[in-house]
Amino acid sequence: MGERKKLTMYYPPDFDPKLVPRIKRVENFKCEVRMMLPFTVQCNTCGEFMYMGKKFNSMKENAQGEKYKGIQIIRFYIKCSTCSKEMTFKTDPENGDYTMESGGSRTFEMWKEKSAVAETNLSERLEADKQDAMTALENRTLDSKKEMEILDALDELKAINQRKERVDTDALLNTAASVREKKRLELDEDEEAQVAKFAAERRKTESRLLEDEDEDEGEDGVPDASGADASADAAAKRAARKARKKAKKAKKEGGAG
């Protein structure tokens, strides 16, 4: 970028720009410029629409003999992006706009129509005011009424802004933060209470299960501390039954021999 902006060029101390020869150009000199379309154009040859803002490498020249109050009118040459047909348009200093010259047609623009209608209405109103004094008085009354309404709306907006300026935003933010912290603490307390309740219910359930298991074991004959004597008697009876069976078996064997 530096070399394109001539920032790195060396100028000797004895450089005199007056000695640099001026370039002589013809009157209808054309130069190539990069530009965007200032309005939407439709090509008259192929019907292609080229919308406002589309970039072109256009040719620019001064329109010979065309000026508006000393302002030079400039002509631009572009080509259609589809059929490459040449189109031209010029600047319009009088209206602060552009005018299509050849090769294409400018499409309808709502904002331009609205401005034209507003200008027409204003001119008609001025003519009516000149012809009829009562109409002029009514129009001035309506204008003053609209102006009063606008001033009232402006005063209301100023009052709203002043009320907003009196509000301390830092205090509002601190209040909102404290409310959020309070809600968080309440939620934490509720969660702790629910956890404690769940733990108590679980302990009760475990104790009930243990009691049921002890009762089942007692019914199945598993010895425990309270029935120690009963279990000893049962063991003695089993031993006596086994001894009697052995005696009967031995007696049968002896009788057979």
Side-chain angles (χ1 to χ4, degrees):
M1 293 296 292
E3 63 276 7
R4 291 167 53 185
K5 295 179 179 179
K6 307 299 181 183
L7 298 177
T8 59
M9 301 294 289
Y10 173 71
Y11 295 94
D14 56 349
F15 175 75
D16 188 3
K18 295 180 181 179
L19 300 178
V20 178
R22 295 180 63 85
I23 300 175
K24 294 182 179 180
R25 294 178 177 175
V26 295
E27 294 182 356
N28 57 349
F29 172 75
K30 295 181 181 180
C31 64
E32 184 177 355
V33 293
R34 183 77 171 171
M35 68 171 301
M36 292 189 294
L37 274 178
F39 48 80
T40 303
V41 182
Q42 183 181 13
C43 179
N44 292 339
T45 304
C46 64
E48 176 69 15
F49 283 93
M50 290 173 288
Y51 297 96
M52 181 175 62
K54 187 177 180 62
K55 293 183 178 180
F56 282 95
N57 290 326
S58 62
M59 300 299 293
K60 180 187 76 170
E61 70 172 2
N62 294 333
Q64 297 299 319
E66 297 185 24
K67 290 185 178 181
Y68 174 75
K69 295 183 179 181
I71 302 174
Q72 179 64 52
I73 295 177
I74 301 173
R75 181 181 289 108
F76 296 93
Y77 297 86
I78 61 174
K79 290 184 179 181
C80 177
S81 58
T82 303
C83 63
S84 300
K85 183 68 175 179
E86 187 177 71
M87 293 181 284
T88 60
F89 60 92
K90 297 187 298 184
T91 58
D92 186 9
E94 183 178 0
N95 300 316
D97 199 3
Y98 294 85
T99 57
M100 198 68 197
E101 192 174 20
S102 64
S105 57
R106 188 170 178 174
T107 58
F108 175 77
E109 294 172 344
M110 181 62 71
W111 64 269
K112 193 173 181 180
E113 184 69 18
K114 286 183 178 180
S115 61
V117 171
E119 291 177 359
T120 304
N121 293 336
L122 181 59
S123 61
E124 291 178 355
R125 177 180 170 181
L126 293 176
E127 289 293 334
D129 292 347
K130 290 179 181 179
Q131 296 176 2
D132 190 356
M134 291 300 296
T135 304
L137 181 60
E138 291 176 358
N139 291 333
R140 285 198 298 271
T141 305
L142 291 174
D143 291 340
S144 61
K145 184 178 179 181
K146 288 181 180 178
E147 186 176 358
M148 292 297 294
E149 291 177 354
I150 292 172
L151 290 176
D152 292 341
L154 183 61
D155 292 337
E156 186 178 356
L157 290 175
K158 288 182 178 179
I160 292 172
N161 291 333
Q162 289 176 358
R163 286 199 299 270
K164 289 182 178 179
E165 288 177 357
R166 288 197 298 269
V167 175
D168 190 359
T169 56
D170 294 335
L172 288 176
L173 293 174
N174 294 331
T175 304
S178 62
V179 170
R180 287 196 298 270
E181 184 68 19
K182 186 177 179 180
K183 288 182 178 180
R184 187 181 64 81
L185 293 175
E186 291 177 356
L187 290 175
D188 293 342
E189 292 177 357
D190 294 339
E191 290 178 356
E192 290 178 358
Q194 290 178 1
V195 170
K197 183 178 179 181
F198 177 74
E201 291 179 354
R202 185 173 181 180
R203 285 194 296 271
K204 290 180 181 179
T205 304
E206 291 178 352
S207 62
R208 284 199 301 270
L209 291 174
L210 291 174
E211 290 176 359
D212 294 340
E213 289 179 357
D214 292 341
E215 291 177 359
D216 294 340
E217 289 178 355
E219 292 175 358
D220 294 338
V222 178
D224 54 359
S226 60
D229 296 338
S231 61
D233 295 339
K237 290 180 180 179
R238 285 196 295 272
R241 283 198 298 271
K242 287 181 180 179
R244 285 196 296 272
K245 287 181 180 180
K246 286 181 180 180
K248 288 181 180 179
K249 187 176 181 180
K251 186 176 180 181
K252 288 180 179 179
E253 289 177 355

PDB file of all heavy atoms in Angstrom, residues 217-252:
ATOM      1  N   GLU A 217     -35.446 -65.914  59.773  1.00  0.00           N
ATOM      2  CA  GLU A 217     -34.434 -66.840  60.274  1.00  0.00           C
ATOM      3  C   GLU A 217     -34.911 -67.574  61.514  1.00  0.00           C
ATOM      4  O   GLU A 217     -34.651 -68.758  61.703  1.00  0.00           O
ATOM      5  CB  GLU A 217     -33.145 -66.070  60.579  1.00  0.00           C
ATOM      6  CG  GLU A 217     -32.422 -65.594  59.318  1.00  0.00           C
ATOM      7  CD  GLU A 217     -31.177 -64.790  59.666  1.00  0.00           C
ATOM      8  OE1 GLU A 217     -30.968 -64.541  60.869  1.00  0.00           O
ATOM      9  OE2 GLU A 217     -30.458 -64.389  58.722  1.00  0.00           O
ATOM     10  N   GLY A 218     -35.655 -66.897  62.398  1.00  0.00           N
ATOM     11  CA  GLY A 218     -36.194 -67.539  63.600  1.00  0.00           C
ATOM     12  C   GLY A 218     -37.200 -68.616  63.242  1.00  0.00           C
ATOM     13  O   GLY A 218     -37.237 -69.681  63.846  1.00  0.00           O
ATOM     14  N   GLU A 219     -38.020 -68.403  62.236  1.00  0.00           N
ATOM     15  CA  GLU A 219     -38.997 -69.397  61.820  1.00  0.00           C
ATOM     16  C   GLU A 219     -38.332 -70.602  61.191  1.00  0.00           C
ATOM     17  O   GLU A 219     -38.817 -71.726  61.297  1.00  0.00           O
ATOM     18  CB  GLU A 219     -39.990 -68.772  60.845  1.00  0.00           C
ATOM     19  CG  GLU A 219     -40.891 -67.725  61.499  1.00  0.00           C
ATOM     20  CD  GLU A 219     -41.783 -67.051  60.474  1.00  0.00           C
ATOM     21  OE1 GLU A 219     -41.629 -67.399  59.276  1.00  0.00           O
ATOM     22  OE2 GLU A 219     -42.613 -66.199  60.857  1.00  0.00           O
ATOM     23  N   ASP A 220     -37.201 -70.459  60.491  1.00  0.00           N
ATOM     24  CA  ASP A 220     -36.507 -71.565  59.836  1.00  0.00           C
ATOM     25  C   ASP A 220     -35.682 -72.401  60.791  1.00  0.00           C
ATOM     26  O   ASP A 220     -35.031 -73.357  60.373  1.00  0.00           O
ATOM     27  CB  ASP A 220     -35.590 -71.026  58.742  1.00  0.00           C
ATOM     28  CG  ASP A 220     -36.403 -70.401  57.617  1.00  0.00           C
ATOM     29  OD1 ASP A 220     -37.589 -70.758  57.499  1.00  0.00           O
ATOM     30  OD2 ASP A 220     -35.844 -69.558  56.870  1.00  0.00           O
ATOM     31  N   GLY A 221     -35.631 -72.122  62.107  1.00  0.00           N
ATOM     32  CA  GLY A 221     -34.885 -72.920  63.074  1.00  0.00           C
ATOM     33  C   GLY A 221     -33.467 -72.461  63.250  1.00  0.00           C
ATOM     34  O   GLY A 221     -32.653 -73.203  63.789  1.00  0.00           O
ATOM     35  N   VAL A 222     -33.106 -71.336  62.826  1.00  0.00           N
ATOM     36  CA  VAL A 222     -31.743 -70.824  63.018  1.00  0.00           C
ATOM     37  C   VAL A 222     -31.621 -70.412  64.467  1.00  0.00           C
ATOM     38  O   VAL A 222     -32.480 -69.692  64.993  1.00  0.00           O
ATOM     39  CB  VAL A 222     -31.466 -69.632  62.105  1.00  0.00           C
ATOM     40  CG1 VAL A 222     -30.081 -69.079  62.358  1.00  0.00           C
ATOM     41  CG2 VAL A 222     -31.631 -70.071  60.666  1.00  0.00           C
ATOM     42  N   PRO A 223     -30.583 -70.894  65.221  1.00  0.00           N
ATOM     43  CA  PRO A 223     -30.480 -70.593  66.653  1.00  0.00           C
ATOM     44  C   PRO A 223     -30.221 -69.124  66.879  1.00  0.00           C
ATOM     45  O   PRO A 223     -29.500 -68.488  66.123  1.00  0.00           O
ATOM     46  CB  PRO A 223     -29.299 -71.440  67.116  1.00  0.00           C
ATOM     47  CG  PRO A 223     -28.495 -71.694  65.894  1.00  0.00           C
ATOM     48  CD  PRO A 223     -29.463 -71.728  64.759  1.00  0.00           C
ATOM     49  N   ASP A 224     -30.827 -68.628  67.930  1.00  0.00           N
ATOM     50  CA  ASP A 224     -30.567 -67.258  68.340  1.00  0.00           C
ATOM     51  C   ASP A 224     -30.404 -67.234  69.844  1.00  0.00           C
ATOM     52  O   ASP A 224     -30.506 -68.256  70.517  1.00  0.00           O
ATOM     53  CB  ASP A 224     -31.691 -66.320  67.884  1.00  0.00           C
ATOM     54  CG  ASP A 224     -33.043 -66.801  68.341  1.00  0.00           C
ATOM     55  OD1 ASP A 224     -33.072 -67.852  68.983  1.00  0.00           O
ATOM     56  OD2 ASP A 224     -34.055 -66.124  68.045  1.00  0.00           O
ATOM     57  N   ALA A 225     -30.151 -66.099  70.405  1.00  0.00           N
ATOM     58  CA  ALA A 225     -29.832 -65.993  71.831  1.00  0.00           C
ATOM     59  C   ALA A 225     -31.028 -66.367  72.706  1.00  0.00           C
ATOM     60  O   ALA A 225     -30.867 -66.924  73.791  1.00  0.00           O
ATOM     61  CB  ALA A 225     -29.388 -64.550  72.146  1.00  0.00           C
ATOM     62  N   SER A 226     -32.233 -66.078  72.299  1.00  0.00           N
ATOM     63  CA  SER A 226     -33.413 -66.326  73.139  1.00  0.00           C
ATOM     64  C   SER A 226     -33.777 -67.816  73.171  1.00  0.00           C
ATOM     65  O   SER A 226     -34.329 -68.303  74.151  1.00  0.00           O
ATOM     66  CB  SER A 226     -34.602 -65.497  72.621  1.00  0.00           C
ATOM     67  OG  SER A 226     -34.882 -65.868  71.289  1.00  0.00           O
ATOM     68  N   GLY A 227     -33.517 -68.613  72.093  1.00  0.00           N
ATOM     69  CA  GLY A 227     -33.931 -70.026  72.059  1.00  0.00           C
ATOM     70  C   GLY A 227     -32.768 -70.997  72.149  1.00  0.00           C
ATOM     71  O   GLY A 227     -32.755 -72.007  71.436  1.00  0.00           O
ATOM     72  N   ALA A 228     -31.782 -70.697  72.961  1.00  0.00           N
ATOM     73  CA  ALA A 228     -30.590 -71.568  73.061  1.00  0.00           C
ATOM     74  C   ALA A 228     -30.952 -72.916  73.711  1.00  0.00           C
ATOM     75  O   ALA A 228     -30.508 -73.974  73.262  1.00  0.00           O
ATOM     76  CB  ALA A 228     -29.497 -70.854  73.868  1.00  0.00           C
ATOM     77  N   ASP A 229     -31.757 -72.910  74.774  1.00  0.00           N
ATOM     78  CA  ASP A 229     -32.128 -74.150  75.465  1.00  0.00           C
ATOM     79  C   ASP A 229     -32.965 -75.044  74.565  1.00  0.00           C
ATOM     80  O   ASP A 229     -32.793 -76.279  74.543  1.00  0.00           O
ATOM     81  CB  ASP A 229     -32.914 -73.810  76.739  1.00  0.00           C
ATOM     82  CG  ASP A 229     -32.055 -73.029  77.732  1.00  0.00           C
ATOM     83  OD1 ASP A 229     -30.797 -73.132  77.621  1.00  0.00           O
ATOM     84  OD2 ASP A 229     -32.627 -72.293  78.541  1.00  0.00           O
ATOM     85  N   ALA A 230     -33.885 -74.416  73.809  1.00  0.00           N
ATOM     86  CA  ALA A 230     -34.732 -75.206  72.931  1.00  0.00           C
ATOM     87  C   ALA A 230     -33.915 -75.885  71.852  1.00  0.00           C
ATOM     88  O   ALA A 230     -34.150 -77.057  71.500  1.00  0.00           O
ATOM     89  CB  ALA A 230     -35.806 -74.318  72.302  1.00  0.00           C
ATOM     90  N   SER A 231     -32.925 -75.231  71.336  1.00  0.00           N
ATOM     91  CA  SER A 231     -32.085 -75.836  70.304  1.00  0.00           C
ATOM     92  C   SER A 231     -31.258 -76.990  70.878  1.00  0.00           C
ATOM     93  O   SER A 231     -31.027 -78.005  70.212  1.00  0.00           O
ATOM     94  CB  SER A 231     -31.171 -74.769  69.683  1.00  0.00           C
ATOM     95  OG  SER A 231     -30.322 -74.206  70.681  1.00  0.00           O
ATOM     96  N   ALA A 232     -30.806 -76.869  72.135  1.00  0.00           N
ATOM     97  CA  ALA A 232     -30.032 -77.950  72.766  1.00  0.00           C
ATOM     98  C   ALA A 232     -30.907 -79.202  72.955  1.00  0.00           C
ATOM     99  O   ALA A 232     -30.465 -80.337  72.707  1.00  0.00           O
ATOM    100  CB  ALA A 232     -29.471 -77.481  74.105  1.00  0.00           C
ATOM    101  N   ASP A 233     -32.154 -79.026  73.394  1.00  0.00           N
ATOM    102  CA  ASP A 233     -33.063 -80.153  73.565  1.00  0.00           C
ATOM    103  C   ASP A 233     -33.331 -80.848  72.238  1.00  0.00           C
ATOM    104  O   ASP A 233     -33.384 -82.090  72.155  1.00  0.00           O
ATOM    105  CB  ASP A 233     -34.394 -79.685  74.185  1.00  0.00           C
ATOM    106  CG  ASP A 233     -34.191 -79.161  75.609  1.00  0.00           C
ATOM    107  OD1 ASP A 233     -33.154 -79.524  76.223  1.00  0.00           O
ATOM    108  OD2 ASP A 233     -35.045 -78.373  76.047  1.00  0.00           O
ATOM    109  N   ALA A 234     -33.499 -80.058  71.187  1.00  0.00           N
ATOM    110  CA  ALA A 234     -33.770 -80.645  69.881  1.00  0.00           C
ATOM    111  C   ALA A 234     -32.585 -81.475  69.408  1.00  0.00           C
ATOM    112  O   ALA A 234     -32.746 -82.558  68.835  1.00  0.00           O
ATOM    113  CB  ALA A 234     -34.076 -79.535  68.867  1.00  0.00           C
ATOM    114  N   ALA A 235     -31.351 -81.002  69.691  1.00  0.00           N
ATOM    115  CA  ALA A 235     -30.166 -81.758  69.287  1.00  0.00           C
ATOM    116  C   ALA A 235     -30.081 -83.075  70.071  1.00  0.00           C
ATOM    117  O   ALA A 235     -29.712 -84.124  69.503  1.00  0.00           O
ATOM    118  CB  ALA A 235     -28.916 -80.896  69.532  1.00  0.00           C
ATOM    119  N   ALA A 236     -30.401 -83.046  71.340  1.00  0.00           N
ATOM    120  CA  ALA A 236     -30.365 -84.270  72.154  1.00  0.00           C
ATOM    121  C   ALA A 236     -31.375 -85.279  71.633  1.00  0.00           C
ATOM    122  O   ALA A 236     -31.095 -86.496  71.558  1.00  0.00           O
ATOM    123  CB  ALA A 236     -30.642 -83.938  73.628  1.00  0.00           C
ATOM    124  N   LYS A 237     -32.590 -84.848  71.267  1.00  0.00           N
ATOM    125  CA  LYS A 237     -33.606 -85.750  70.745  1.00  0.00           C
ATOM    126  C   LYS A 237     -33.154 -86.382  69.443  1.00  0.00           C
ATOM    127  O   LYS A 237     -33.389 -87.574  69.205  1.00  0.00           O
ATOM    128  CB  LYS A 237     -34.920 -84.993  70.537  1.00  0.00           C
ATOM    129  CG  LYS A 237     -35.601 -84.588  71.847  1.00  0.00           C
ATOM    130  CD  LYS A 237     -36.881 -83.839  71.578  1.00  0.00           C
ATOM    131  CE  LYS A 237     -37.571 -83.434  72.876  1.00  0.00           C
ATOM    132  NZ  LYS A 237     -38.821 -82.686  72.659  1.00  0.00           N
ATOM    133  N   ARG A 238     -32.514 -85.565  68.571  1.00  0.00           N
ATOM    134  CA  ARG A 238     -32.031 -86.130  67.300  1.00  0.00           C
ATOM    135  C   ARG A 238     -30.977 -87.211  67.553  1.00  0.00           C
ATOM    136  O   ARG A 238     -30.946 -88.256  66.894  1.00  0.00           O
ATOM    137  CB  ARG A 238     -31.482 -85.000  66.422  1.00  0.00           C
ATOM    138  CG  ARG A 238     -32.561 -84.139  65.790  1.00  0.00           C
ATOM    139  CD  ARG A 238     -31.976 -83.322  64.651  1.00  0.00           C
ATOM    140  NE  ARG A 238     -30.999 -82.365  65.124  1.00  0.00           N
ATOM    141  CZ  ARG A 238     -31.290 -81.120  65.539  1.00  0.00           C
ATOM    142  NH1 ARG A 238     -32.553 -80.696  65.536  1.00  0.00           N
ATOM    143  NH2 ARG A 238     -30.331 -80.305  65.940  1.00  0.00           N
ATOM    144  N   ALA A 239     -30.091 -86.973  68.514  1.00  0.00           N
ATOM    145  CA  ALA A 239     -29.046 -87.961  68.832  1.00  0.00           C
ATOM    146  C   ALA A 239     -29.663 -89.247  69.380  1.00  0.00           C
ATOM    147  O   ALA A 239     -29.217 -90.364  69.034  1.00  0.00           O
ATOM    148  CB  ALA A 239     -28.064 -87.352  69.845  1.00  0.00           C
ATOM    149  N   ALA A 240     -30.714 -89.143  70.199  1.00  0.00           N
ATOM    150  CA  ALA A 240     -31.363 -90.321  70.766  1.00  0.00           C
ATOM    151  C   ALA A 240     -32.026 -91.130  69.667  1.00  0.00           C
ATOM    152  O   ALA A 240     -31.969 -92.377  69.647  1.00  0.00           O
ATOM    153  CB  ALA A 240     -32.382 -89.918  71.839  1.00  0.00           C
ATOM    154  N   ARG A 241     -32.682 -90.424  68.689  1.00  0.00           N
ATOM    155  CA  ARG A 241     -33.330 -91.136  67.590  1.00  0.00           C
ATOM    156  C   ARG A 241     -32.285 -91.890  66.756  1.00  0.00           C
ATOM    157  O   ARG A 241     -32.520 -93.038  66.334  1.00  0.00           O
ATOM    158  CB  ARG A 241     -34.112 -90.153  66.716  1.00  0.00           C
ATOM    159  CG  ARG A 241     -35.426 -89.735  67.330  1.00  0.00           C
ATOM    160  CD  ARG A 241     -36.342 -89.125  66.272  1.00  0.00           C
ATOM    161  NE  ARG A 241     -35.777 -87.905  65.685  1.00  0.00           N
ATOM    162  CZ  ARG A 241     -35.964 -86.686  66.180  1.00  0.00           C
ATOM    163  NH1 ARG A 241     -36.692 -86.517  67.288  1.00  0.00           N
ATOM    164  NH2 ARG A 241     -35.448 -85.640  65.579  1.00  0.00           N
ATOM    165  N   LYS A 242     -31.158 -91.268  66.495  1.00  0.00           N
ATOM    166  CA  LYS A 242     -30.104 -91.931  65.713  1.00  0.00           C
ATOM    167  C   LYS A 242     -29.588 -93.183  66.453  1.00  0.00           C
ATOM    168  O   LYS A 242     -29.334 -94.236  65.847  1.00  0.00           O
ATOM    169  CB  LYS A 242     -28.943 -90.973  65.450  1.00  0.00           C
ATOM    170  CG  LYS A 242     -29.280 -89.889  64.423  1.00  0.00           C
ATOM    171  CD  LYS A 242     -28.068 -89.001  64.195  1.00  0.00           C
ATOM    172  CE  LYS A 242     -28.392 -87.921  63.176  1.00  0.00           C
ATOM    173  NZ  LYS A 242     -27.233 -87.019  62.947  1.00  0.00           N
ATOM    174  N   ALA A 243     -29.460 -93.078  67.798  1.00  0.00           N
ATOM    175  CA  ALA A 243     -28.964 -94.224  68.582  1.00  0.00           C
ATOM    176  C   ALA A 243     -29.956 -95.385  68.543  1.00  0.00           C
ATOM    177  O   ALA A 243     -29.571 -96.561  68.400  1.00  0.00           O
ATOM    178  CB  ALA A 243     -28.701 -93.791  70.029  1.00  0.00           C
ATOM    179  N   ARG A 244     -31.256 -95.125  68.641  1.00  0.00           N
ATOM    180  CA  ARG A 244     -32.249 -96.169  68.589  1.00  0.00           C
ATOM    181  C   ARG A 244     -32.257 -96.853  67.219  1.00  0.00           C
ATOM    182  O   ARG A 244     -32.416 -98.078  67.111  1.00  0.00           O
ATOM    183  CB  ARG A 244     -33.650 -95.581  68.900  1.00  0.00           C
ATOM    184  CG  ARG A 244     -33.860 -95.264  70.384  1.00  0.00           C
ATOM    185  CD  ARG A 244     -35.338 -95.071  70.680  1.00  0.00           C
ATOM    186  NE  ARG A 244     -35.893 -93.919  69.981  1.00  0.00           N
ATOM    187  CZ  ARG A 244     -35.901 -92.678  70.443  1.00  0.00           C
ATOM    188  NH1 ARG A 244     -35.357 -92.420  71.630  1.00  0.00           N
ATOM    189  NH2 ARG A 244     -36.438 -91.706  69.763  1.00  0.00           N
ATOM    190  N   LYS A 245     -32.106 -96.037  66.147  1.00  0.00           N
ATOM    191  CA  LYS A 245     -32.069 -96.626  64.813  1.00  0.00           C
ATOM    192  C   LYS A 245     -30.878 -97.572  64.669  1.00  0.00           C
ATOM    193  O   LYS A 245     -30.987 -98.651  64.080  1.00  0.00           O
ATOM    194  CB  LYS A 245     -31.999 -95.529  63.758  1.00  0.00           C
ATOM    195  CG  LYS A 245     -33.319 -94.792  63.585  1.00  0.00           C
ATOM    196  CD  LYS A 245     -33.183 -93.729  62.512  1.00  0.00           C
ATOM    197  CE  LYS A 245     -34.480 -92.972  62.326  1.00  0.00           C
ATOM    198  NZ  LYS A 245     -34.375 -91.927  61.277  1.00  0.00           N
ATOM    199  N   LYS A 246     -29.746 -97.191  65.202  1.00  0.00           N
ATOM    200  CA  LYS A 246     -28.546 -98.031  65.102  1.00  0.00           C
ATOM    201  C   LYS A 246     -28.745 -99.333  65.891  1.00  0.00           C
ATOM    202  O   LYS A 246     -28.337-100.421  65.443  1.00  0.00           O
ATOM    203  CB  LYS A 246     -27.326 -97.296  65.635  1.00  0.00           C
ATOM    204  CG  LYS A 246     -26.824 -96.193  64.698  1.00  0.00           C
ATOM    205  CD  LYS A 246     -25.587 -95.541  65.296  1.00  0.00           C
ATOM    206  CE  LYS A 246     -25.073 -94.449  64.371  1.00  0.00           C
ATOM    207  NZ  LYS A 246     -23.883 -93.809  64.930  1.00  0.00           N
ATOM    208  N   ALA A 247     -29.394 -99.234  67.055  1.00  0.00           N
ATOM    209  CA  ALA A 247     -29.620-100.436  67.876  1.00  0.00           C
ATOM    210  C   ALA A 247     -30.549-101.413  67.165  1.00  0.00           C
ATOM    211  O   ALA A 247     -30.323-102.638  67.144  1.00  0.00           O
ATOM    212  CB  ALA A 247     -30.196-100.045  69.241  1.00  0.00           C
ATOM    213  N   LYS A 248     -31.645-100.893  66.539  1.00  0.00           N
ATOM    214  CA  LYS A 248     -32.563-101.757  65.799  1.00  0.00           C
ATOM    215  C   LYS A 248     -31.851-102.424  64.637  1.00  0.00           C
ATOM    216  O   LYS A 248     -32.067-103.608  64.350  1.00  0.00           O
ATOM    217  CB  LYS A 248     -33.752-100.933  65.304  1.00  0.00           C
ATOM    218  CG  LYS A 248     -34.706-100.511  66.405  1.00  0.00           C
ATOM    219  CD  LYS A 248     -35.865 -99.721  65.816  1.00  0.00           C
ATOM    220  CE  LYS A 248     -36.826 -99.287  66.902  1.00  0.00           C
ATOM    221  NZ  LYS A 248     -37.955 -98.501  66.375  1.00  0.00           N
ATOM    222  N   LYS A 249     -30.998-101.689  63.968  1.00  0.00           N
ATOM    223  CA  LYS A 249     -30.290-102.238  62.806  1.00  0.00           C
ATOM    224  C   LYS A 249     -29.343-103.363  63.233  1.00  0.00           C
ATOM    225  O   LYS A 249     -29.242-104.426  62.590  1.00  0.00           O
ATOM    226  CB  LYS A 249     -29.527-101.122  62.103  1.00  0.00           C
ATOM    227  CG  LYS A 249     -28.907-101.541  60.801  1.00  0.00           C
ATOM    228  CD  LYS A 249     -28.257-100.341  60.127  1.00  0.00           C
ATOM    229  CE  LYS A 249     -27.656-100.770  58.791  1.00  0.00           C
ATOM    230  NZ  LYS A 249     -27.004 -99.627  58.106  1.00  0.00           N
ATOM    231  N   ALA A 250     -28.660-103.116  64.349  1.00  0.00           N
ATOM    232  CA  ALA A 250     -27.734-104.150  64.842  1.00  0.00           C
ATOM    233  C   ALA A 250     -28.485-105.384  65.276  1.00  0.00           C
ATOM    234  O   ALA A 250     -28.044-106.527  65.053  1.00  0.00           O
ATOM    235  CB  ALA A 250     -26.931-103.554  66.009  1.00  0.00           C
ATOM    236  N   LYS A 251     -29.672-105.220  65.870  1.00  0.00           N
ATOM    237  CA  LYS A 251     -30.469-106.365  66.334  1.00  0.00           C
ATOM    238  C   LYS A 251     -30.943-107.195  65.164  1.00  0.00           C
ATOM    239  O   LYS A 251     -30.945-108.441  65.190  1.00  0.00           O
ATOM    240  CB  LYS A 251     -31.647-105.847  67.148  1.00  0.00           C
ATOM    241  CG  LYS A 251     -32.476-106.949  67.799  1.00  0.00           C
ATOM    242  CD  LYS A 251     -33.548-106.328  68.657  1.00  0.00           C
ATOM    243  CE  LYS A 251     -34.383-107.430  69.316  1.00  0.00           C
ATOM    244  NZ  LYS A 251     -35.453-106.890  70.151  1.00  0.00           N
ATOM    245  N   LYS A 252     -31.363-106.568  64.088  1.00  0.00           N
ATOM    246  CA  LYS A 252     -31.821-107.284  62.899  1.00  0.00           C
ATOM    247  C   LYS A 252     -30.677-108.071  62.292  1.00  0.00           C
ATOM    248  O   LYS A 252     -30.852-109.214  61.862  1.00  0.00           O
ATOM    249  CB  LYS A 252     -32.393-106.311  61.868  1.00  0.00           C
ATOM    250  CG  LYS A 252     -33.738-105.724  62.248  1.00  0.00           C
ATOM    251  CD  LYS A 252     -34.223-104.784  61.161  1.00  0.00           C
ATOM    252  CE  LYS A 252     -35.584-104.202  61.519  1.00  0.00           C
ATOM    253  NZ  LYS A 252     -36.075-103.289  60.512  1.00  0.00           N
TER     254      LYS A 252
END
